Amino acid sequence: MNTGARLYPWTLGQARRITQDTERLPHALLLAGPRGLGKAACAAHVAQVLSCEHPDGAAPSSCGTCQNCRLLAAGTHPDVQWVVPAEEGKAIAIDQIRALAQFLHLRPHIGQRKIVVISPAEAMNTHAANSLLKLLEEPPPDSLLFLVSSDPVRLPATVRSRCQRVTFPRPARSEALAWLRAIEGFPGEQAELLLELAGGAPLQAVALQQDGFLAVRGELLEDIEALGTGKGDPVSCAARWKSHGARRCLEWLEGGVMDLIRIGMAPAHGTLANRDSSERLHVLEKRLNLKQLFRFLEAVSESRHLLDGPADELLLLEDVLIRWSRLAQQK
Ligand SMILES: [Zn+2]
């Protein structure tokens, strides 16, 4: 049970849209948008408002004191359920969706409807998604499903088409920066860099800061430079990258390669994700061929997607870094 209900300034509009006409709610909503915007927290907040006996529809907010609110705060509301992977990064299994079907076919215990949040929805494996599709085709009465996804294209089109989509765009840069700088203890001077590295998603920027990612990134950049000039060993590099978390290293590399492509296409213009390392990236770019960079970018994205399945992280990283070291020596 997730109790992290919260609205951020940039998710307020979406929450209002969902709660404004509770008589005409669809059976399923797909909350779609980049990671790090607080979509699941918004779903949790909306679930509170929809369950509350005395909600403030305009805010929208719940009263916090009625029986529904108290049960939700305690994580024991019998009509609200979360479906999440048993372990982070693992799939949502068919058994979880089957259990959900049973839950949804019971009448609500105390509230007006049953609410389910599936997050992240793209973590459902094929069997689970097919099982969910049956629920979407014949939705049980008084039920509301939230599918939270930062990668909705990975959901079957049949599932997507049966949900009403609520899109969560990134907030404006100025809004995101102001929000980050207002956080107590957040290093304001790093806000711009962290936000760029986070692809404009404020909560992702906070996560990167809390994980000390800037120090890690320093190492990654040095590795990329060394391998790019024929120094360093891709295999030992890969082992180090794995210890930093394969996913975030590949995510960073993807952004770094996009920076190099931006430099190659318009050397004097454009904002780089690694804005503080522009000079070093310009030097590196001179050794590279733009066409090959595009191909390498594809290989990096593909490897990153493979991480969602049962992949050998070390092998994936080795493969990517060996490719990279060859690339830089080919021009
Ligand atoms: Zn209440």
Side-chain angles (χ1 to χ4, degrees), residues 7-329:
L7 285 188
Y8 296 92
W10 56 86
T11 59
L12 188 63
Q14 284 80 356
R16 282 194 182 136
R17 250 174 65 204
I18 302 169
T19 54
Q20 69 187 0
D21 189 359
T22 51
E23 296 305 311
R24 255 173 285 176
L25 272 172
H27 288 287
L29 290 157
L30 172 60
L31 310 192
R35 193 155 48 106
L37 295 184
K39 298 184 298 299
C42 177
H45 183 94
V46 168
Q48 276 182 0
V49 175
L50 294 177
S51 307
C52 177
E53 288 151 46
H54 317 288
D56 175 352
S61 62
S62 50
C63 74
T65 53
C66 72
Q67 187 193 17
N68 282 284
C69 281
R70 277 182 286 129
L71 288 170
L72 263 174
T76 53
H77 198 296
D79 298 323
V80 180
Q81 240 186 48
W82 282 73
V83 181
V84 298
E87 257 180 81
E88 209 193 314
K90 292 278 182 300
I92 291 176
I94 185 166
D95 292 348
Q96 291 175 273
I97 303 298
R98 282 198 186 125
L100 190 64
Q102 280 181 353
F103 166 79
L104 285 174
H105 279 103
L106 297 170
R107 292 171 64 111
H109 287 89
I110 50 172
Q112 291 181 345
R113 59 176 74 80
K114 300 236 160 191
I115 300 178
V116 168
V117 185
I118 304 177
S119 177
E122 70 271 15
M124 284 187 289
N125 64 26
T126 314
H127 296 302
N130 284 336
S131 181
L132 181 75
L133 183 59
K134 288 193 199 112
L135 274 176
L136 294 173
E137 281 166 349
E138 289 174 45
D142 308 319
S143 66
L144 175 61
L145 279 162
F146 289 101
L147 277 67
V148 179
S149 180
S150 55
D151 203 357
V153 289
R154 282 176 53 210
L155 289 166
T158 44
V159 167
R160 282 200 308 264
S161 68
R162 288 181 189 276
C163 301
Q164 190 172 312
R165 186 186 278 246
V166 181
T167 305
F168 288 67
R170 293 177 184 86
R173 218 173 94 80
S174 53
E175 183 187 5
L177 286 174
W179 183 82
L180 285 171
R181 288 182 177 131
I183 298 174
E184 210 185 309
F186 191 89
E189 71 285 1
Q190 291 174 355
E192 284 189 58
L193 176 59
L194 284 162
L195 186 66
E196 290 294 345
L197 289 171
L203 304 183
Q204 182 71 1
V206 172
L208 291 179
Q209 196 269 329
Q210 286 171 346
D211 291 352
F213 183 71
L214 288 185
V216 172
R217 186 199 59 140
E219 278 185 46
L220 302 184
L221 186 57
E222 275 172 29
D223 285 341
I224 282 299
E225 284 174 326
L227 293 175
T229 49
K231 291 174 227 145
D233 164 34
V235 175
S236 60
C237 243
R240 236 186 1 264
W241 282 37
K242 186 173 180 253
S243 72
H244 291 313
R247 179 179 299 273
R248 69 175 181 172
C249 289
L250 285 181
E251 276 173 0
W252 172 78
L253 183 58
E254 219 175 338
V257 174
M258 281 197 250
D259 277 350
L260 290 168
I261 289 175
R262 271 183 213 118
I263 293 170
M265 292 181 77
H269 307 286
T271 317
L272 303 182
N274 297 273
R275 50 171 55 221
D276 61 334
S277 313
S278 169
E279 230 167 273
R280 289 164 71 179
L281 290 171
H282 271 82
V283 171
L284 196 53
E285 193 275 334
K286 288 198 175 66
R287 302 181 62 92
L288 298 156
N289 165 312
L290 198 56
K291 210 162 128 194
Q292 285 174 339
L293 268 179
F294 272 111
R295 255 187 244 138
F296 181 68
L297 180 64
E298 260 175 54
V300 178
S301 322
E302 204 176 298
S303 301
R304 191 171 56 76
H305 284 299
L306 285 175
L307 283 179
D308 296 325
D312 184 327
E313 292 186 351
L314 190 60
L315 273 180
L316 275 180
L317 287 169
E318 282 175 7
D319 178 57
V320 163
L321 292 174
I322 289 170
R323 272 176 201 240
W324 170 256
S325 62
R326 286 190 191 140
L327 192 75
Q329 286 159 34

